[in-house]
Amino acid sequence: MASFIIRRLIASIFVLFAATFLMYLLVAYSGDPLEDLRLSNAPNKESLIEARTRLLNLDVPPPLRYFLWLGGIFRGDFGISIQNQPVNALLGNAITSTLTLVTTATVVAMVLGITVGIVSALRQYTGFDYSVTLIAFLFFSLPIFWVAVLLKQYGAIQLNDWLADPTISVPVIVGLSIVSGLLWMSILGGRWRKRLTVFGISAVATAAVLTFLSVTQWFADPSIGIVVYAFLALGIAVGVTAISTGLRNRKALYASLIVAVIGIALYFPMMNYILNGMTLWFFLLLAVIAVVVSGAIGWFMGAPDRGPVVRTTAIVGFFVAAFIALDKYMSYWHAYANSSRVRGRPIATVGSSTPGLGGNFWVQGIDLYTHLLLPTIAIILISFASYTRYSRASLLEVMNQDYIRTARSKGLTERTVVVRHAFRNALIPITTIIAFDVGALIGGAVITETVFGWVGMGRLFVTALGMHDPNPVMAFFVVTGTLAVIFNLIADLVYAALDPRIKVG
């Protein structure tokens, strides 16, 4: 393994050297960095041209200038931009902005896309499968700039108007209830009597929830509350256990329920005392403690087969803690939405933060969420389609393999066959897609960043390229190229971890 990683890294270094050399020459010969000064009417034009020439070493031929730039790279210095700003500072701000945007969008798109793709494969040739296929191809064919503009209109402008009086009309309640019933009926499947029962229960439950939210004006001042949180915590414990180990594993089920009960018991102390005066590092520390303590409960209760129980309780602990944090965020929603800077229109359309907002950790978190919402949805809608189709096709291919038929013939439950045998091998081709997507997305979602006013890696690259500014362009290329190499190396290692038949060598 070590020799493989070393060989790949050495080869990647040579590839990066060759690629950066070619890219530097292409940028250097693509235009004149002095063009704006040559066309200027400034009285000190000649001195400005001379200063920029010395600043960017423009009097040195591009092939030799590359090695001057490369020497700065070895010192960790990406140079100076045309605007006489350190490229390191520009790159740091752009990476932070892009990572904030694309990490959230990529993780959500992967989770939703793979989950829906797997369910679609398990319900092949059903109404749910056909609906998912239609929606996936529709999203995949939509141009991102058009989706972004529609989200601004309907996801921000009209939604903000509705939030002034968040009442759900009767036709909307009826329509959403029917859609919910059809969705759950398609997912659960079975005979028509079972399907109609599922349709009726889910439609009535959806109508009741929406009516309650409308009557109580919940969206104006949202909250979860201890009663709903208790049901959610217990439901998470049962649901995660059913998927992870199966409900027959009583040790996992009891350990997960204990984690849920501890979360319920800590609800009021967390909401009223511990989560006040929060900072980012303390917040992350609490998240780690929640996962570690939950895993420890699984360890003590899971003997002799501790691994599956620890995994299950850690996941339950994460979600139980996450819902407490979500309720704390919700408690500040009304104050945020009606602040002097937001003025009742919380869903933002431009930028990554509200200028001069102030506020505590929770208010700043809500502000980040409201600015992330629309660009994240735009990226998710486009990425969701590819993840859904790839995961569906991969799982269908795996489900027809001989070892799946062997697993079923041994009497294993369908959950065990799908989760433990099929899903793991179905992830192998998806890993390749994820590795390529992550490397590409770090480069910035150029159109999305432009429409929503995010100054990220994509905007940095396009702006520098338009100004014939070589140093920011090369900084962008080095970062994205290095990340692409790293994630492809990680993908190779993940292959070996997912399938023991694959040898790293």
Side-chain angles (χ1 to χ4, degrees):
M1 180 71 73
S3 62
F4 168 77
I5 294 175
I6 292 172
R7 290 198 311 271
R8 282 292 301 270
L9 290 177
I10 293 174
S12 300
I13 290 173
F14 284 108
V15 169
L16 284 175
F17 278 145
T20 53
F21 180 73
L22 292 175
M23 188 67 180
Y24 195 93
L25 294 183
L26 289 173
V27 175
Y29 289 119
S30 65
D32 184 9
L34 301 174
E35 181 180 1
D36 60 324
L37 295 181
R38 297 187 196 280
L39 299 176
S40 172
N41 295 322
N44 59 339
K45 181 170 67 173
E46 295 301 327
S47 61
L48 293 175
I49 291 176
E50 184 180 354
R52 183 178 293 181
T53 301
R54 289 197 308 268
L55 180 69
L56 300 178
N57 297 313
L58 298 179
D59 52 345
V60 179
L64 298 179
R65 197 190 314 157
Y66 166 79
F67 291 99
L68 295 177
W69 170 83
L70 190 63
I73 295 298
F74 287 127
R75 298 191 302 270
D77 182 12
F78 283 99
I80 302 295
S81 71
I82 283 180
Q83 305 298 328
N84 202 18
Q85 293 179 301
V87 176
N88 286 29
L90 297 175
L91 187 64
N93 294 332
I95 288 178
T96 302
S97 180
T98 294
L99 286 178
T100 303
L101 174 60
V102 303
T103 301
T104 306
T106 303
V107 170
V108 175
M110 285 191 298
V111 173
L112 287 179
I114 293 174
T115 302
V116 173
I118 289 172
V119 176
S120 180
L122 297 177
R123 295 288 181 265
Q124 187 182 17
Y125 302 136
T126 63
F128 177 80
D129 185 28
Y130 289 129
S131 300
V132 169
T133 301
L134 175 64
I135 293 172
F137 282 118
L138 176 64
F139 287 161
F140 191 77
S141 62
L142 292 178
I144 184 66
F145 62 87
W146 188 66
V147 173
V149 172
L150 288 181
L151 286 173
K152 276 192 169 186
Q153 176 64 34
Y154 297 102
I157 297 174
Q158 294 196 10
L159 182 59
N160 282 328
D161 293 338
W162 177 76
L163 287 174
D165 182 23
T167 302
I168 308 175
S169 63
V170 174
V172 173
I173 293 176
V174 173
L176 292 177
S177 300
I178 294 174
V179 171
S180 174
L182 293 173
L183 178 64
W184 285 108
M185 180 181 72
S186 301
I187 292 176
L188 296 179
R191 297 182 178 273
W192 277 107
R193 178 175 296 179
K194 177 184 176 181
R195 293 188 178 190
L196 292 175
T197 302
V198 171
F199 173 83
I201 294 174
S202 58
V204 170
T206 302
V209 171
L210 291 177
T211 302
F212 172 79
L213 297 178
S214 178
V215 171
T216 59
Q217 298 279 287
W218 185 85
F219 290 98
D221 189 12
S223 65
I224 295 178
I226 182 62
V227 176
V228 176
Y229 175 77
F231 280 106
L232 285 173
L234 296 174
I236 289 170
V238 175
V240 171
T241 304
I243 296 174
S244 178
T245 63
L247 296 178
R248 293 182 179 179
N249 190 331
R250 295 301 180 183
K251 293 182 178 180
L253 178 60
Y254 295 151
S256 298
L257 290 174
I258 290 175
V259 172
V261 170
I262 292 175
I264 296 171
L266 291 175
Y267 177 83
F268 285 115
M270 295 290 290
M271 290 291 294
N272 297 327
Y273 302 104
I274 299 176
L275 295 182
N276 294 332
M278 183 61 59
T279 62
L280 176 61
W281 292 110
F282 187 49
F283 182 80
L284 296 176
L285 177 63
L286 288 177
V288 172
I289 291 174
V291 173
V292 171
V293 171
S294 302
I297 293 173
W299 174 268
F300 286 114
M301 295 191 62
D305 189 13
R306 290 188 170 99
V309 182
V310 171
R311 178 188 65 225
T312 303
T313 54
I315 296 173
V316 171
F318 174 81
F319 282 109
V320 167
F323 273 102
I324 293 181
L326 178 62
D327 202 11
K328 188 66 175 180
Y329 275 117
M330 287 182 176
S331 66
Y332 284 92
W333 174 262
H334 186 267
Y336 169 78
N338 294 279
S339 62
S340 59
R341 293 289 180 177
V342 179
R343 293 177 293 183
R345 305 190 68 82
I347 308 301
T349 58
V350 177
S352 57
S353 62
T354 301
L357 176 65
N360 60 14
F361 172 83
W362 305 106
V363 173
Q364 291 294 324
I366 295 174
D367 185 57
L368 177 62
Y369 164 78
T370 56
H371 285 80
L372 277 173
L373 183 62
L374 297 186
T376 298
I377 292 176
I379 297 175
I380 287 173
L381 291 179
I382 306 303
S383 302
F384 169 83
S386 59
Y387 286 124
T388 300
R389 303 313 299 164
Y390 277 113
S391 57
R392 177 185 181 275
S394 180
L395 186 63
L396 285 176
E397 182 181 358
V398 170
M399 294 294 285
N400 292 322
Q401 299 296 319
D402 291 338
Y403 61 85
I404 297 297
R405 286 191 287 270
T406 302
R408 283 174 171 158
S409 66
K410 290 192 299 184
L412 299 178
T413 63
E414 188 67 14
R415 187 206 66 81
T416 303
V417 172
V418 173
V419 175
R420 187 169 298 179
H421 294 274
F423 177 65
R424 179 174 177 175
N425 289 296
L427 285 177
I428 294 175
I430 301 173
T431 302
T432 305
I433 306 302
I434 293 174
F436 280 112
D437 277 0
V438 171
L441 285 173
I442 296 301
V446 178
I447 297 176
T448 306
E449 291 177 3
T450 302
V451 174
F452 291 105
W454 280 72
V455 184
M457 292 289 286
R459 287 281 297 277
L460 175 68
F461 175 73
V462 172
T463 302
L465 202 60
M467 300 175 64
H468 311 297
D469 192 356
N471 289 337
V473 173
M474 293 307 300
F476 166 88
F477 189 76
V478 168
V479 171
T480 55
T482 302
L483 289 174
V485 168
I486 291 174
F487 278 104
N488 277 278
L489 175 61
I490 292 174
D492 288 339
L493 300 179
V494 172
Y495 294 157
L498 289 173
D499 190 347
R501 296 173 299 177
I502 298 176
K503 302 299 181 182
V504 177

